[in-house]
Amino acid sequence: MENRNNVTVFILLGLSQNKNIEILCFVFFLFCYIAICIGNMSIIISITCSQLNGQPMYFFLNYLSLCDLCFTSTVTPKLMTDLLAERKTISYNNCMAQLFIMHLLGGIEIFILTGMAYDRYVAICKPLHYTVIMSRQRCNAIIIACFTGAFIHSASQFLLTIFLPFCGPNEIDHYFCDVYPLLKLACTNTQRIGLLVIANSGVLALMTFVILMVSYVLILYTIRPYPAKSRTKALSTCSSHITVVVLFFVPVLFIYIRPTVTFPEDKVFALFYTIIAPMFNPLIYTLRNMEMKDSMKKMWHHQLFLEGKQQA
């Protein structure tokens, strides 16, 4: 514990050392963050202020959008600030807090995506029992399970990292605090800890991804005899979810399913699940979903009507 206290501040090397590239990245990520905030807030408001919140799929989507918004907010504002700063630093305490919160919210997102897949499976494969199986009590239980599972996952990652001794270099070759870059800085043998991280993050993500893919294979098998119109509607709903799953899980698996080594490409892959996926999720779920589009239109028309009435 004394060795650990030798490092009180970490230096983040960020995405690039070229100032021109950093300015371009700042403009791009500013646009992305604005889009993330507007898109996810629009979904949250549209679902909360309409009858859609009574439907399990939108109940989960509401939580997914909130999770996306919080998840990217733990990284993106700090990243943008660092892009304009001469010295990119983060205190030891803030680094550990960022690691814990990121894995907590990332875990919640993974489990919510699993809950949404289960909802689609029941809706398509067991439509007659859907309202009974996916009752509000069951949906609340799934959300509680998501938060509980994510907390256990995040607490495990946090405990594996918090007791590491840091006594030498303090430069993190990343734009945020994560387990693998921190393991490289620890002045102890981290091989066993690295295996525990793989078992915790990598295997969890892989198992979840496999379960999700199996559920969609079962759905595709079930809808084969359906009429073309019903099959198209089911595929449209599921394709949105599959796109979100692939955008989030592929980069996560690339980073966490291998031994404790880091590559320069890790930063690019991390951008996909920290910024790109949260930005595209609202577009994917609204552009391919008629109910969501209708709800948003009604909400904004109602808002414009109220504003016009007040001005009159």
Side-chain angles (χ1 to χ4, degrees):
M1 294 297 286
E2 290 180 5
N3 287 338
R4 186 202 73 186
N5 293 333
N6 289 343
V7 174
T8 57
V9 174
F10 290 107
I11 298 171
L12 298 168
L13 297 184
L15 295 173
S16 173
Q17 303 302 312
N18 187 308
K19 203 61 190 176
N20 292 329
I21 293 176
E22 286 187 326
I23 292 171
L24 288 174
C25 287
F26 172 82
V27 174
F28 175 69
F29 293 135
L30 177 61
F31 167 79
C32 290
Y33 190 59
I34 292 171
I36 289 167
C37 292
I38 293 174
N40 285 290
M41 284 302 298
S42 296
I43 286 181
I44 292 168
I45 294 169
S46 298
I47 293 174
T48 305
C49 299
S50 70
Q51 296 179 343
L52 291 179
N53 199 41
Q55 300 180 36
M57 183 175 77
Y58 298 104
F59 174 79
F60 291 128
L61 179 57
N62 198 8
Y63 277 99
L64 181 68
S65 295
L66 178 61
C67 188
D68 271 340
L69 188 59
C70 296
F71 181 66
T72 194
S73 294
T74 63
V75 177
T76 310
K78 171 65 176 168
L79 170 60
M80 291 191 297
T81 303
D82 286 343
L83 287 169
L84 299 180
E86 290 296 327
R87 187 175 170 84
K88 307 168 180 61
T89 61
I90 184 169
S91 69
Y92 175 87
N93 290 336
N94 287 342
C95 182
M96 294 300 133
Q98 188 183 57
L99 184 145
F100 177 82
I101 295 169
M102 274 203 67
H103 279 274
L104 174 66
L105 295 170
I108 293 171
E109 182 154 353
I110 284 175
F111 292 126
I112 287 177
L113 287 170
T114 308
M116 292 176 77
Y118 175 69
D119 170 68
R120 290 302 84 206
Y121 169 77
V122 174
I124 294 170
C125 299
K126 298 182 179 181
L128 297 179
H129 304 285
Y130 179 70
T131 53
V132 176
I133 296 173
M134 296 306 296
S135 62
R136 180 46 61 95
Q137 185 178 2
R138 175 67 62 85
C139 291
N140 288 331
I142 290 173
I143 290 296
I144 292 170
C146 290
F147 278 80
T148 305
F151 179 81
I152 294 170
H153 157 72
S154 183
S156 302
Q157 296 285 75
F158 180 74
L159 291 173
L160 287 173
T161 312
I162 193 72
F163 294 112
L164 288 174
F166 297 103
C167 51
N170 64 338
E171 291 186 342
I172 299 176
D173 189 13
H174 216 306
Y175 61 91
F176 65 89
C177 289
D178 204 4
V179 181
Y180 282 172
L182 286 169
L183 289 180
K184 285 183 66 178
L185 301 182
C187 359
T188 186
N189 189 334
T190 59
Q191 188 174 2
R192 289 183 181 178
I193 296 176
L195 292 174
L196 290 173
V197 172
I198 294 172
N200 188 0
S201 294
V203 174
L204 172 66
L206 180 62
M207 287 177 60
T208 308
F209 184 70
V210 170
I211 290 169
L212 290 171
M213 290 300 103
V214 168
S215 71
Y216 284 109
V217 169
L218 292 174
I219 288 172
L220 291 173
Y221 180 80
T222 303
I223 65 175
R224 283 190 311 163
Y226 282 24
K229 188 176 180 180
S230 299
R231 195 164 59 240
T232 302
K233 184 179 179 181
L235 285 172
S236 176
T237 304
C238 293
S239 63
S240 300
H241 194 197
I242 291 172
T243 306
V244 171
V245 166
V246 171
L247 269 176
F248 186 83
F249 275 92
V250 170
V252 168
L253 288 171
F254 176 83
I255 292 172
Y256 291 108
I257 203 62
R258 62 170 194 257
T260 53
V261 291
T262 57
F263 300 115
E265 294 82 8
D266 289 353
K267 299 177 189 180
V268 178
F269 276 92
L271 287 173
F272 275 90
Y273 65 81
T274 57
I275 298 176
I276 305 301
M279 181 177 67
F280 278 106
N281 284 1
L283 292 174
I284 291 166
Y285 279 112
T286 53
L287 293 178
R288 299 182 63 85
N289 190 307
M290 288 303 298
E291 286 183 313
M292 195 70 233
K293 285 193 285 188
D294 289 342
S295 176
M296 291 183 78
K297 285 177 183 176
K298 288 177 182 177
M299 182 191 73
W300 294 117
H301 284 168
H302 179 68
Q303 186 66 30
L304 291 171
F305 174 75
L306 289 177
E307 287 181 1
K309 198 171 182 181
Q310 288 174 355
Q311 290 175 359

